[in-house]
Amino acid sequence: KALREEGIKSILVNPNVATIQTSRRIADKVYLEPLTVPTLIDILKMERPDGIMLGFGGQTALNLGVKLYRTGIFDELDIKVLGTPVKGIEITEDRGLFKNRMLEIGVSVPPSKPVYSVGEALAAAEEIGYPVIVRVAYTLGGGGSGVAYTPEELRRIVMTALPQSIGHQVLIEKYLKHWKEIEYEVMRDRKNNCITICALENFDPLGIHTGDSIVVAPTQTLTNREYQILRSAAIKVVRGVWVIGECNIQFGLDPRSEDYVAIEVNARLSRSSALASKATGYPLAYISAKLALGYTLPELLNKVTGVTTACFEPALDYVVVKIPRWDFDKFEGPIDRTLGSQMKSVGEVMSIARSFEEAFQKAARMLDIGLEGIVCNDLDIPLNVVEEELRNPTDRRFYLLPLAMRYGLSIEKIYSMTGIDPWFLYKIKSMIEMEDKLRSMDPQDPTLPEVLKEAKRIGFSDRQIAKCLGLTEDEVRRLRLRYNIRPRAKIVDTMAAEWESQTNYCYMTYGDTEDDVKVKEGKKIIVLGAGCIRIGSSVEFDYCTMHTAWSLKEEGIDEVIVINNNPETVSTDFDMTDKLYFEELSLERVLDIWEYESADAVIVSVGGQTPNTLAKPLAERGVKILGTDAKYIDMAEDRRKFSSLLEKLNIPQPEWIYASSVDAVKSFAKSVGYPILIRPSYVLSGAAMRVVFNDSDVEEYLRLATKVSREHPVVVSKFIYNAKELEVDGVS
């Protein structure tokens, strides 16, 4: 987009056919070829480009760029590296060079030493003192890294880490346990103008990879002095490594003093960059591309305000929370769920609200893992397990915190076990207190309207409130609408309303009393996105969502409205559709937006399983579903209805029964013979689907299937060995 505006033709090399990036609508020419040095050299010789951009394809592109530079092909073909120069990339990626450069420019780093063998690593750790963290050069997602408390642990980590580094180098660094982790996203142009786009506070302390950490923006627990100290250091770092464009800098901050250290720098667009861009509304990738072409920040316009230049630092009048999505439950057997310096998440969600509590609860629901929010989850986990997962964090730790408090653990105790700032813990405690208040109330209580307002302000959904009051979700919705308790539609404008926004980048919140989003007349269609990336649902649905939106515009639809909550996708770029709601893909929130916008219809079929599951409940509440009728979607998704349809149409299928009880399933298995296949309804990529070989496994697998498919039937069928699987795609 940025290149096309300048009349520059772009050539993209990416073998990922599922992403919108390789759509012919995006780049002028696309090579679906392997990302290897020999292949890229062949393409460069064939195309003879004037320049190459290395900072937009993540760690893979950066590593390939350095390797290509070292072959001399750029000099041979007179290809200019646009953006951050290779020497800057090498300094940020090589742990030894990075440490030396930081010390040269006066930025503190943890005590550390680059090493090239296990023996050197053991000697360095003895010198620095245990515990130490192993960091690997030129890797993605903290690959190969880890924390070692003993020489034996260090030996194991280093033996795995060294082969993963381009230069066979790792850094042995002092582990700063329970220090805060703060990230800054910074822009710099060729004339040394610098601005910070966003400061991101990690809910979890140092030691957990930022991709696996809950992240909050703006920072919530820093003093203004701490914020300014780190901001000044971030600008010094960016200038010191000659970044041109966008850069992510990670700091460790001692919670007991103002001491800080620079942990690492990503001289490229990263997952944190995408988050910062969506959190602020500042188009980081677009502006970075312009800076790589030689523009300066004051020369570029902020496309959100249409008035200010790109040299204005964004200001937020809302709170953003990111929670990673893990898919450990997809795997059988003992799984190591502990989180550390190697990233294990597969995706993430982002929520926007006017309070931390509201944003946190919204984000928990967006994960689509069965959570009602941060509270009201009816967890049955013993205290000893909870304490173990607080000390050694897992993907479940954030929603075990309320349970720990209910077991009687104090805020101080939890802080000592987790390193999570007490400010966040007290916010969670306030949610527990609201849950208790709601559970003790009578729906006829005259004070209920005020309590409902406060509950909604701190993120309680209608389902959560219904659970506490003993009502249905629909009854709570009718109740709050009777009291005129509605969410307000707000705009992300990058300038905290100092200038009027020129875009329709929206969210809904109960933390305000006025609407900012203008409702237009005309034909309006809502398109539901896929939510977070997970195993079985990735960027292919981003492709589908965007092509649907573009096709609707070609058919004369006045306004196409997308609802999605994944900061990593093109469909949540504010300028890709007429209106974007960065929101929950829930029945409650889709109804809120549908009613507010007076939309004509909703499309559920291009975002995968999550929106598909909403088809029937939306239709039952009067929402028009475009495409396949909701009752036929239900017939295909509901295993019992689908199997009954096949019988009615005389289409052969394996013998099957509805799993009404464990005994019925065992009796069925006895009659048809093991193995059998347990098949829950309305699930993504075979979640909880299991092949069962004996009676002893039936109960466990049925429990798992009914857990992921609580409101829909589970079917059991005879499993057929050695059968070929064929798929047919049809259009009607």
Side-chain angles (χ1 to χ4, degrees):
K1 183 166 37 176
L3 298 178
R4 187 174 290 123
E5 289 176 355
E6 304 298 327
I8 298 171
K9 289 189 175 181
S10 58
I11 302 164
L12 174 71
V13 185
N14 191 348
N16 187 345
V17 296
T19 173
I20 189 72
Q21 188 184 100
T22 51
S23 171
R24 286 179 295 176
R25 191 165 184 153
I26 302 297
D28 293 294
K29 187 178 284 190
V30 177
Y31 281 90
L32 295 169
E33 293 292 339
L35 290 168
T36 62
V37 170
T39 301
L40 291 171
I41 287 176
D42 288 342
I43 293 171
L44 291 173
K45 287 181 176 179
M46 190 162 34
E47 294 290 346
R48 301 276 172 161
D50 298 293
I52 187 168
M53 291 182 169
L54 307 177
F56 296 84
Q59 192 66 50
T60 300
L62 219 58
N63 290 355
L64 283 167
V66 172
K67 289 177 181 178
L68 286 167
Y69 172 79
R70 290 173 181 174
T71 68
I73 190 67
F74 295 159
D75 289 335
E76 178 187 332
L77 300 179
D78 194 24
I79 298 171
K80 184 179 180 181
V81 174
L82 302 176
T84 302
V86 173
K87 70 173 182 177
I89 295 171
E90 289 178 321
I91 286 174
T92 59
E93 292 296 324
D94 184 295
R95 299 293 182 178
L97 294 177
F98 175 71
K99 174 187 175 181
N100 293 337
R101 183 58 180 157
M102 291 303 100
L103 295 176
E104 285 174 11
I105 63 176
V107 173
S108 300
V109 292
S112 63
K113 192 170 186 179
V115 300
Y116 299 86
S117 68
V118 173
E120 289 181 12
L122 292 169
E126 287 299 324
E127 179 183 328
I128 293 168
Y130 288 95
V132 294
I133 186 168
V134 178
R135 299 189 184 276
V136 187
Y138 291 97
T139 58
L140 174 67
S145 63
V147 176
Y149 288 84
T150 66
E152 292 72 25
E153 290 178 347
L154 181 61
R155 183 186 300 274
R156 176 179 53 79
I157 294 169
V158 173
M159 287 178 67
T160 304
L162 283 171
Q164 298 185 43
S165 168
I166 289 179
H168 205 71
Q169 177 212 72
V170 299
L171 188 76
I172 307 301
E173 180 180 281
K174 182 67 178 175
Y175 177 46
L176 303 173
K177 187 175 182 180
H178 288 180
W179 279 39
K180 293 182 181 182
E181 183 159 6
I182 310 294
E183 300 176 71
Y184 276 74
E185 299 292 327
V186 187
M187 299 287 282
R188 175 181 176 269
D189 64 28
R190 62 185 176 84
K191 290 191 175 180
N192 220 18
N193 296 306
C194 285
I195 61 168
T196 56
I197 303 303
C198 188
L200 305 163
E201 178 171 2
N202 284 231
F203 177 88
D204 303 290
L206 274 179
I208 297 177
H209 191 279
T210 55
D212 276 347
S213 184
I214 295 167
V215 175
V216 186
T219 57
Q220 301 294 300
T221 71
L222 268 61
T223 65
N224 183 57
R225 180 177 166 84
E226 288 170 332
Y227 175 89
Q228 297 299 341
I229 287 171
L230 294 180
R231 179 184 177 278
S232 297
I235 290 174
K236 185 185 290 187
V237 170
V238 169
R239 286 174 171 161
V241 296
W242 308 288
V243 164
I244 294 178
E246 193 273 344
C247 183
N248 166 264
I249 306 166
Q250 296 161 24
F251 291 106
L253 177 67
D254 185 355
R256 293 164 293 276
S257 71
E258 293 179 344
D259 292 343
Y260 74 90
V261 291
I263 301 297
E264 69 176 20
V265 171
N266 289 309
R268 57 175 171 83
L269 289 158
S270 64
R271 182 180 292 228
S272 294
S273 309
L275 175 67
S277 186
K278 302 298 167 70
T280 61
Y282 190 99
L284 279 170
Y286 173 84
I287 298 296
S288 293
K290 294 289 190 181
L291 297 183
L293 294 176
Y295 282 97
T296 63
L297 287 165
E299 292 175 325
L300 298 171
L301 197 65
N302 182 332
K303 296 181 78 174
V304 175
T305 64
V307 178
T308 59
T309 73
C311 210
F312 273 65
E313 294 192 349
L316 280 61
D317 56 0
Y318 49 83
V319 179
V320 167
V321 172
K322 176 215 89 175
I323 303 181
R325 160 81 187 224
W326 299 270
D327 268 345
F328 295 122
D329 289 335
K330 287 280 188 179
F331 305 99
E332 295 185 58
I335 301 296
D336 180 10
R337 305 178 78 113
T338 55
L339 305 180
S341 55
Q342 286 195 66
M343 183 174 154
K344 295 181 178 180
S345 64
V346 295
E348 60 191 37
V349 297
M350 186 189 96
S351 67
I352 312 174
R354 284 297 176 96
S355 70
F356 167 74
E357 300 97 316
E358 185 182 14
F360 199 17
Q361 295 227 72
K362 284 171 67 173
R365 290 189 289 270
M366 288 174 177
L367 289 171
D368 203 15
I369 58 173
L371 295 177
E372 301 290 356
I374 298 300
V375 294
C376 304
N377 289 313
D378 298 334
L379 302 173
D380 184 20
I381 301 172
L383 175 59
N384 65 311
V385 175
V386 172
E387 290 182 322
E388 174 62 24
E389 295 196 32
L390 294 190
R391 290 192 191 94
N392 300 294
T394 69
D395 58 305
R396 307 194 304 175
R397 181 164 80 167
F398 75 94
Y399 62 84
L400 293 182
L401 291 169
L403 186 57
M405 294 178 190
R406 289 205 176 278
Y407 273 126
L409 272 66
S410 67
I411 299 290
E412 293 73 20
K413 176 68 172 176
I414 295 173
Y415 171 63
S416 70
M417 297 168 77
T418 65
I420 297 171
D421 192 282
W423 187 90
F424 294 117
L425 299 177
Y426 277 109
K427 293 295 183 181
I428 293 172
K429 186 179 179 183
S430 72
M431 300 177 209
I432 296 173
E433 291 168 350
M434 176 55 73
E435 179 187 355
D436 291 342
K437 179 181 281 190
L438 286 168
R439 288 187 185 278
S440 68
M441 291 193 77
D442 187 295
Q444 306 303 318
D445 192 313
T447 64
L448 183 61
E450 290 306 311
V451 175
L452 283 181
K453 283 181 184 177
E454 178 60 15
K456 298 303 283 186
R457 188 193 69 80
I458 63 173
F460 277 70
S461 68
D462 287 351
R463 275 176 60 104
Q464 279 175 296
I465 295 169
K467 200 171 185 179
C468 294
L469 294 178
L471 302 174
T472 67
E473 182 178 357
D474 284 338
E475 286 172 333
V476 171
R477 185 176 187 84
R478 287 193 293 270
L479 194 64
R480 66 172 175 80
L481 291 179
R482 192 170 80 215
Y483 296 138
N484 197 30
I485 302 172
R486 303 169 185 269
R488 296 301 177 179
K490 309 300 288 185
I491 290 177
V492 173
D493 62 7
T494 79
M495 289 293 161
E498 190 174 351
W499 279 275
E500 185 176 359
S501 175
Q502 301 297 312
T503 66
N504 278 308
Y505 178 13
C506 319
Y507 66 99
M508 301 201 98
T509 180
Y510 284 90
D512 208 319
T513 57
E514 296 180 355
D515 295 304
D516 292 340
V517 178
K518 296 174 183 176
V519 177
K520 299 177 181 178
E521 298 295 324
K523 200 163 187 63
K524 291 183 273 190
I525 305 295
I526 293 174
V527 181
L528 302 187
C532 63
I533 291 174
R534 65 202 84 173
I535 295 176
S537 177
S538 187
V539 291
E540 65 273 10
F541 293 116
D542 195 40
Y543 182 98
C544 296
T545 300
M546 288 317 308
H547 276 277
T548 299
W550 292 333
S551 297
L552 289 171
K553 293 301 292 182
E554 290 168 3
E555 294 300 318
I557 301 301
D558 296 301
E559 193 169 41
V560 179
I561 302 166
V562 168
I563 305 175
N564 204 357
N565 50 50
N566 184 351
E568 302 170 286
T569 66
V570 173
S571 64
T572 52
D573 281 0
F574 68 86
D575 57 351
M576 296 301 284
T577 52
D578 297 310
K579 195 173 284 182
L580 166 69
Y581 278 91
F582 218 107
E583 270 300 337
E584 297 179 64
L585 290 162
S586 65
L587 176 63
E588 176 184 346
R589 192 41 42 94
V590 174
L591 285 174
D592 289 336
I593 296 170
W594 179 71
E595 290 172 357
Y596 179 78
E597 291 286 350
S598 299
D600 294 278
V602 175
I603 293 177
V604 302
S605 57
V606 295
Q609 190 63 56
T610 298
N612 228 31
T613 304
L614 293 174
K616 185 182 177 185
L618 285 171
E620 289 172 345
R621 288 156 181 82
V623 176
K624 182 180 179 181
I625 304 297
L626 283 190
T628 304
D629 191 286
K631 69 178 179 180
Y632 296 122
I633 292 175
D634 181 56
M635 190 178 292
E637 293 283 356
D638 185 304
R639 299 287 187 186
R640 181 165 55 170
K641 291 178 182 177
F642 181 69
S643 293
S644 299
L645 175 66
L646 293 180
E647 285 184 348
K648 183 179 178 181
L649 297 174
N650 293 318
I651 296 175
Q653 63 177 315
E655 294 178 80
W656 69 280
I657 64 161
Y658 163 56
S660 56
S661 69
V662 173
D663 288 340
V665 172
K666 288 181 178 179
S667 177
F668 171 76
K670 187 175 181 180
S671 67
V672 301
Y674 283 106
I676 57 174
L677 180 64
I678 294 178
R679 308 170 71 202
S681 301
Y682 281 95
V683 294
L684 175 70
S685 67
M689 194 177 291
R690 295 289 190 273
V691 178
V692 182
F693 293 89
N694 52 63
D695 279 0
S696 60
D697 288 337
V698 167
E699 191 166 346
E700 170 62 21
Y701 289 147
L702 273 180
R703 183 194 61 78
L704 181 62
T706 52
K707 180 181 177 182
V708 301
S709 186
R710 294 174 184 174
E711 300 172 8
H712 305 286
V714 175
V715 161
V716 178
S717 61
K718 172 64 180 173
F719 180 73
I720 303 174
Y721 269 123
N722 299 321
K724 288 185 177 180
E725 184 169 353
L726 304 176
E727 295 182 59
V728 177
D729 286 335
V731 178
S732 66

